[in-house]
Amino acid sequence: GERRHAHLRKMSGVLRAAAPLARRLNAVPKGPVNRATRGMASDPNATPKVAYPWLDPSNPANWKEEHVVFTILGAWGVVIFGAKTAFS
């Protein structure tokens, strides 16, 4: 009903207010600053990352960052579950 429309109007107002901020955040600086940050983004001499951790399981330095994150989160899950099971 009417309350739902009011909610939608409020949301569209929030989105309109956020649009200039989003444009500012996505703006790419022109000139030497951009080149400098792009140069820092990746190391050209770095060892190539493996597509999947099980292709190089003993060398986490060659894993992609997200695979390291998943492994750490999974390990925390195992630790927490094990502790809950052990102490209950």
Side-chain angles (χ1 to χ4, degrees):
E2 185 54 40
R3 278 178 54 199
R4 186 159 161 229
H5 290 301
H7 179 72
L8 288 175
R9 269 197 302 276
K10 192 164 118 186
M11 282 299 293
S12 69
V14 168
L15 291 174
R16 262 198 305 276
L21 176 64
R23 270 198 298 276
R24 245 195 323 273
L25 290 176
N26 289 332
V28 178
K30 302 285 183 272
V33 175
N34 192 22
R35 263 196 305 282
T37 53
R38 194 180 300 139
M40 287 184 278
S42 63
D43 181 4
N45 303 319
T47 56
K49 303 293 184 190
V50 292
Y52 301 103
W54 54 84
L55 298 178
D56 194 2
S58 60
N59 195 355
N62 287 350
W63 295 2
K64 292 181 181 173
E65 188 180 352
E66 55 268 32
H67 292 140
V68 175
V69 170
F70 293 155
T71 303
I72 291 170
L73 289 175
W76 272 110
V78 168
V79 167
I80 291 169
F81 179 78
K84 281 176 65 175
T85 306
F87 293 116
S88 61

